[in-house]
Amino acid sequence: MPRGRYSLHDPHDRTPLAQEHFQCAPGPSGWRYVSQLTTPAGEHRGSVDLALDDLGRPIRLELHAGGWQVRGAALDGVTWVRTDPTGVHATEGNVRAHAFTGTSPAFLIATARLLRLTPSSSATRVRLVAFTEPVLAPRTLDQSWALVNSEAHATDNGPLVVDEYQVTALDTGEQHAVHIAGDVVLAAPGIELEDLRSPPSRFG
């Protein structure tokens, strides 16, 4: 069960945004990721709880940030309920999309699991609903994912396979690389793996 800490920063000017303390593991029905986020000053900032089924579809998502809450799942596309900090108002949303995304590294793992690309696969288009902080506002976006390289590295625990994805934002054409080993993000824009206390899990 990998557990550790990511640091999140603005990918443009590298302003520190948060520390994300996480643990994740595959299970009998899929994969689950839970994390707590703190500000650079150490104050609680929010949390992520994401569960996927065996096909990589989100069967449960719960996000907290700035007093806002989102609960969602794959249902007729993706469906969610967003609640304001007072708890008085709740709005429901539904989009014909494949999955969710956001600032947490969990969503990169989830998208990679959903697409299950191989180096010989052509670039695959995916529609996602992003929840943007600080108020978890939903936004639908389209990306293209391609697995450009998969390389095994020798470690004390056996070979570690690192997959390099090229992700393209289809509205702007902006491209960036994402490096993933098992269920851990090694590097991505705005994300740095600072601490890892156990090896990444190997998916079957």
Side-chain angles (χ1 to χ4, degrees):
M1 178 186 293
R3 61 177 67 223
R5 176 172 51 88
Y6 294 107
S7 64
L8 309 182
H9 58 265
D10 187 301
H12 303 291
D13 62 14
R14 298 192 63 80
T15 300
L17 300 176
Q19 299 285 315
E20 184 161 345
H21 304 263
F22 74 95
Q23 62 184 58
C24 56
S29 61
W31 179 75
R32 188 178 179 200
Y33 177 103
V34 293
S35 69
Q36 297 289 326
L37 287 93
T38 58
T39 67
E43 300 172 346
H44 180 72
R45 172 172 167 153
S47 63
V48 178
D49 188 339
L50 175 65
L52 309 178
D53 67 11
D54 268 340
L55 299 178
R57 297 171 300 192
I59 54 176
R60 187 183 70 255
L61 170 68
E62 185 170 329
L63 298 177
H64 293 267
W68 293 84
Q69 174 184 284
V70 166
R71 293 175 184 261
L75 181 67
D76 295 327
V78 293
T79 298
W80 68 92
V81 175
R82 177 173 170 264
T83 308
D84 70 310
T86 67
V88 175
H89 303 288
T91 56
E92 184 173 327
N94 172 263
V95 171
R96 288 288 181 182
H98 299 95
F100 299 109
T101 191
T103 57
S104 173
F107 294 113
L108 297 175
I109 302 291
T111 303
R113 289 295 299 155
L114 179 70
L115 298 179
R116 297 176 186 264
L117 300 174
T118 66
S120 60
S121 302
S122 58
T124 299
R125 179 175 180 146
V126 61
R127 173 159 289 183
L128 304 167
V129 173
F131 294 105
T132 54
E133 297 183 21
V135 297
L136 300 180
R139 181 172 65 95
T140 303
L141 53 87
D142 293 300
Q143 293 179 340
S144 171
W145 280 60
L147 178 58
V148 296
N149 189 36
S150 187
E151 188 173 352
H153 299 265
T155 71
D156 293 340
N157 298 298
L160 179 69
V161 178
V162 178
D163 294 325
E164 179 186 352
Y165 295 90
Q166 183 180 75
V167 181
T168 304
L170 295 181
D171 55 347
T172 64
E174 182 180 4
Q175 295 183 332
H176 60 266
V178 173
H179 294 83
I180 294 174
D183 55 358
V184 173
V185 175
L186 302 181
I191 298 169
E192 290 186 18
L193 180 63
E194 300 284 0
D195 179 40
L196 183 63
R197 291 173 220 142
S198 53
S201 300
R202 291 185 175 93
F203 289 110

